[in-house]
Amino acid sequence: MKKTIKIIAEILLAAVAVLLVILIYRSVMEPVNFNKEKDAREAVAVQRLKDIRTLEVAFKSVNNHYTASIDSLKEFYLNGKMKVVMQLGSQDDSIAVANTARIKKQNKRITPEQLYAMYLAGENVVLSLATDLAVKDTLFNHREDFHLDSLAFIPFSGDSVLMESVVKKVSGVDVPLFEAKMPYKSLLKGMDHQLIVNLNADREKQNRYEGLQVGSVSAPNNNAGNWE
């Protein structure tokens, strides 16, 4: 009887030891796996915020202000036009530069379009030519991973990207500003709740936004992302 009890006790101790090993392993691996998944989600989110920034900068170049509306950015992408400056010829080509200067001296009213016609005819000239191009033919046209309809949403959650735009006085000058945000509570939705709480608490202690953000309506920051 005593022998049986001893065997049972040894089995129970072994089971407890195995359980403790499993619990320790999980406690070690949970934050590791959390950070791995967090990094993967952030990579997708960062690219989306970069795309929003690219569209915002292009939108401002045409409209002189940013927008807080993803729909406006989508409309701008689909139907808008923007000026693109083409550099034709090389400033390092001294012969072309000298020839261009001679032509301009002979005809001070010559237009870039006329110089362009000469360039197409084989004249060795250097010029910059501004032309209107469709936004959709200019931006992201070689990006297979760019999906316009996804732009408004935070990856892995379906929640909306938080957008804001303002015009703020900075040293007496009106400065357009924008920001786009993806809070961790949305971006990391479905992941370990306590680890998300801990992450947000750490960010708050460091006076950093609890998520990913590009641009700022508080102060000019050159449209930087908080991951850069």
Side-chain angles (χ1 to χ4, degrees):
M1 183 67 177
K2 289 183 178 179
K3 187 176 181 180
T4 301
I5 293 173
K6 183 179 179 182
I7 292 172
I8 293 173
E10 289 176 349
I11 292 172
L12 288 174
L13 285 172
V16 169
V18 170
L19 180 60
L20 285 173
V21 170
I22 292 172
L23 291 175
I24 292 171
Y25 177 80
R26 284 184 176 177
S27 68
V28 171
M29 291 307 297
E30 275 181 2
V32 172
N33 292 331
F34 176 86
N35 286 329
K36 187 181 295 185
E37 177 66 15
K38 168 181 165 290
D39 291 344
R41 293 192 180 195
E42 283 187 334
V44 177
V46 163
Q47 184 58 64
R48 193 161 299 177
L49 288 173
K50 286 181 177 180
D51 291 345
I52 290 173
R53 174 171 62 189
T54 297
L55 276 172
E56 284 279 15
V57 171
F59 182 93
K60 176 180 173 288
S61 72
V62 174
N63 299 285
N64 298 315
H65 63 84
Y66 295 111
T67 177
S69 168
I70 289 288
D71 287 340
S72 294
L73 289 181
K74 290 168 70 174
E75 172 65 21
F76 173 70
Y77 177 78
L78 291 172
N79 301 307
K81 291 186 176 183
M82 57 188 293
K83 284 194 178 298
V84 175
V85 178
M86 297 188 298
Q87 180 65 42
L88 303 171
S90 173
Q91 292 289 347
D92 294 330
D93 186 342
S94 59
I95 296 175
V97 171
N99 189 42
T100 304
R102 179 184 60 79
I103 292 171
K104 288 182 176 180
K105 186 176 181 180
Q106 290 175 347
N107 182 2
K108 294 183 179 180
R109 294 186 177 181
I110 194 168
T111 66
E113 288 74 20
Q114 289 172 319
L115 277 173
Y116 180 56
M118 296 174 69
Y119 175 84
L120 293 177
E123 187 73 46
N124 192 12
V125 294
V126 176
L127 71 148
S128 296
L129 184 66
T131 183
D132 287 329
L133 294 180
V135 175
K136 64 182 178 182
D137 293 335
T138 306
L139 301 179
F140 314 124
N141 53 347
H142 298 301
R143 279 267 310 280
E144 293 183 1
D145 63 337
F146 176 73
H147 303 289
L148 186 64
D149 290 337
S150 300
L151 207 63
F153 304 107
I154 298 173
F156 308 100
S157 74
D159 295 343
S160 296
V161 176
L162 305 179
M163 298 276 291
E164 192 172 351
S165 66
V166 299
V167 176
K168 180 166 284 190
K169 286 280 187 186
V170 179
S171 300
V173 178
D174 287 337
V175 178
L177 302 171
F178 91 95
E179 66 183 26
K181 292 181 175 181
M182 295 184 182
Y184 280 138
K185 66 179 181 180
S186 293
L187 180 60
L188 305 183
K189 186 177 288 186
M191 295 175 61
D192 188 285
H193 175 71
Q194 187 56 53
L195 291 178
I196 295 173
V197 170
N198 295 346
L199 174 63
N200 285 337
D202 287 342
R203 303 279 287 202
E204 187 176 3
K205 285 180 183 177
Q206 298 170 31
N207 197 29
R208 299 173 65 192
Y209 175 64
E210 299 89 357
L212 297 178
Q213 174 181 344
V214 65
S216 172
V217 296
S218 300
N221 71 345
N222 201 29
N223 299 329
N226 66 348
W227 63 87
E228 295 174 318

